[in-house]
Amino acid sequence: MKRSEYISQFLNFIAEAKQEYASAVEGIRIEEKRQEDLLHEIEFCKVAKERNKLTTKLHKCREQRRKYKDIREEFEPIVEFANDPANKKVIDKLSSQLLGQV
């Protein structure tokens, strides 16, 4: 593997981490809205059988939300590192200068 490919892989890893993090944050937002909607449906539902179906949907919603939260927690330190002004400067130099030179 060429040395430039190592740099390129690192830059791709940072970009993918940012993308995964943003996707997870959006997923959490969607599931929280869905959760709130389900809670309102449960609140006003009069039929026990229907309430049971809604609580199953709520359970699945909470599981999905947890998956997104786990992903967010996994990528958060990487994104914070990449967004730190000092590190961002180095990453920008890696992509704009060093990669071209190597």
Side-chain angles (χ1 to χ4, degrees):
M1 184 182 297
K2 295 179 182 178
R3 286 170 176 49
S4 62
E5 290 174 343
Y6 289 111
I7 298 168
S8 184
Q9 281 184 340
F10 175 72
L11 294 171
N12 287 338
F13 171 73
I14 296 293
E16 288 173 14
K18 287 180 175 183
Q19 186 177 4
E20 288 287 331
Y21 179 82
S23 178
V25 168
E26 178 64 13
I28 292 167
R29 187 191 66 75
I30 290 168
E31 292 303 325
E32 285 176 346
K33 184 180 180 332
R34 188 170 149 225
Q35 175 182 296
E36 195 62 33
D37 291 344
L38 288 167
L39 288 171
H40 283 119
E41 284 186 61
I42 291 168
E43 180 181 2
F44 296 112
C45 187
K46 303 277 190 238
V47 181
K49 189 173 181 179
E50 285 301 311
R51 236 184 352 260
N52 288 341
K53 289 179 184 179
L54 289 170
T55 57
T56 299
K57 287 182 182 180
L58 178 62
H59 175 73
K60 289 178 181 176
C61 170
R62 301 274 302 161
E63 286 180 330
Q64 189 61 41
R65 181 178 169 270
R66 169 52 48 206
K67 288 178 186 175
Y68 286 129
K69 284 186 80 173
D70 290 345
I71 292 168
R72 183 191 67 185
E73 289 174 8
E74 181 181 348
F75 285 104
E76 191 168 41
I78 299 164
V79 172
E80 286 177 355
F81 173 86
N83 289 338
D84 178 88
N87 298 332
K88 186 171 179 359
K89 199 174 188 180
V90 171
I91 292 169
D92 289 344
K93 281 187 177 182
L94 278 172
S95 64
S96 65
Q97 293 176 5
L98 186 60
L99 187 59
Q101 292 173 354
V102 176

